Amino acid sequence: MNNKPLILVTNDDGIFAKGLRTLIDCVKDFGEILVLAPDKPQSAMGHAVTIINPLFIRKISSSENYREYSCNGTPADCVKLAYRAVLNRKPDLIVSGINHGANSSLNVSYSGTMAAAIEGAMSDIPAVGFSLCDYMPDANFDHCIDAVKSIVANVLEEKLPSRVALNVNIPAASCGKIKGVKVTRQAKAYWDERFDKRTDPHGREYYWLTGDFINIDEDDDNDLVALDNSYISIVPVQLDLTAHETIKEIGKWKFEY
């Protein structure tokens, strides 16, 4: 009714995360704000949705142009609930984050932060996932503020192509002054994973996932290179996972059935 943009804010680190609080401060002056975030950390949940257990929404606060809720679901659940159960219309923008840790390269596939943004894109809602490349418990988010505001302003003004979300990664404050913004592609990389076998105090064996992140990309137009050189990386993410260049090749196979 007040013609202000309706902005949904969520994350995967939980309702009390420092990154979420920073993101709320960044967008609160752009329009009407609805915060709906998980009630506990949901990192690396990917695009999981809850289909067996009931979902509960808890109201935290409400004031003019601002409402805040938590729920016991995943980041994707939060977007679905906000759009389908709490609001009476599509939000004009979804922002997710600011994640405490990088979501560059193939990490986008595991990211709950980006799952929330992609869930929005599925409903043709402009959406951005923000991540800070800093895993330290006392990570400084202050230097993200101007960049987040600038990107949000551009998305609201310019819009986004249909069913496209933005994956934004911001270098850690310890990397020095940010040099600018680069629109990049996802780097070719992989996790060289292993499981540490351990024993708990009761003598039971358990496993702890660990490993090394390996960048095999030889070009310099990707998100990892941008971040390594103190640039903010923006990767436009599309929903179509089809490997279009292989359709004709695989179509030549001889299938027996």
Side-chain angles (χ1 to χ4, degrees):
M1 293 180 65
N2 55 20
N3 294 320
K4 290 184 176 181
L6 176 56
I7 301 175
L8 169 62
V9 186
T10 189
N11 75 342
D12 74 353
D13 288 326
I15 190 69
F16 300 111
K18 184 178 179 181
L20 180 70
R21 295 296 131 188
T22 302
L23 185 56
I24 293 169
D25 286 341
C26 289
V27 301
K28 64 184 180 181
D29 293 331
F30 282 97
E32 181 183 351
I33 305 301
L34 172 70
V35 179
L36 204 166
D39 59 8
K40 57 185 176 295
Q42 296 278 353
S43 296
M45 287 297 291
H47 212 108
V49 294
T50 303
I51 58 174
I52 297 177
N53 299 318
L55 291 170
F56 299 93
I57 299 175
R58 182 171 71 92
K59 185 176 180 179
I60 296 175
S61 66
S62 179
S63 59
E64 185 178 4
N65 293 325
Y66 184 87
R67 289 177 288 167
E68 183 174 325
Y69 302 83
S70 67
C71 90
N72 61 318
T74 67
D77 288 332
C78 290
V79 174
K80 290 178 180 289
L81 282 167
Y83 174 26
R84 304 292 184 182
V86 178
L87 300 171
N88 56 11
R89 66 178 178 91
K90 283 185 179 182
D92 297 295
L93 174 66
I94 296 172
V95 290
S96 180
I98 301 170
N99 190 66
H100 197 147
N103 277 313
S104 52
S105 186
L106 87 168
N107 293 307
V108 66
S109 299
Y110 300 106
S111 169
T113 299
M114 280 305 299
I118 291 169
E119 180 66 36
M122 287 179 174
S123 296
D124 215 11
I125 302 168
V128 186
F130 292 96
S131 300
L132 173 66
C133 301
D134 192 336
Y135 296 93
M136 298 300 292
D138 60 346
N140 182 0
F141 288 82
D142 292 346
H143 69 294
C144 301
I145 294 173
D146 289 342
V148 171
K149 287 182 177 180
S150 177
I151 292 168
V152 167
N154 272 280
V155 172
L156 288 172
E157 178 68 24
E158 304 293 340
K159 310 304 179 186
L160 286 175
S162 178
R163 297 167 68 82
V164 169
L166 299 183
N167 181 19
V168 178
N169 281 272
I170 302 171
S174 59
C175 294
K177 182 177 175 58
I178 291 176
K179 296 178 181 178
V181 176
K182 287 194 174 184
V183 181
T184 63
R185 61 171 177 82
Q186 177 181 315
K188 298 173 185 176
Y190 68 95
W191 281 99
D192 183 13
E193 296 173 329
R194 58 186 179 274
F195 285 90
D196 284 348
K197 187 177 180 180
R198 305 177 183 179
T199 304
D200 73 8
H202 301 284
R204 298 173 299 186
E205 293 181 348
Y206 69 96
Y207 295 87
W208 198 267
L209 178 63
T210 183
D212 300 305
F213 189 64
I214 309 297
N215 181 10
I216 59 173
D217 208 314
E218 297 180 352
D219 297 320
D220 61 2
D221 59 344
N222 62 72
D223 52 0
L224 294 179
V225 171
L227 293 165
D228 286 344
N229 287 277
S230 299
Y231 286 91
I232 294 170
S233 167
I234 300 179
V235 176
V237 177
Q238 64 181 5
L239 303 182
D240 184 0
L241 299 181
T242 307
H244 291 277
E245 66 278 7
T246 68
I247 290 176
K248 288 185 178 180
E249 179 182 346
I250 295 175
K252 296 176 183 177
W253 293 3
K254 293 180 172 61
F255 298 100
E256 295 181 4
Y257 54 90

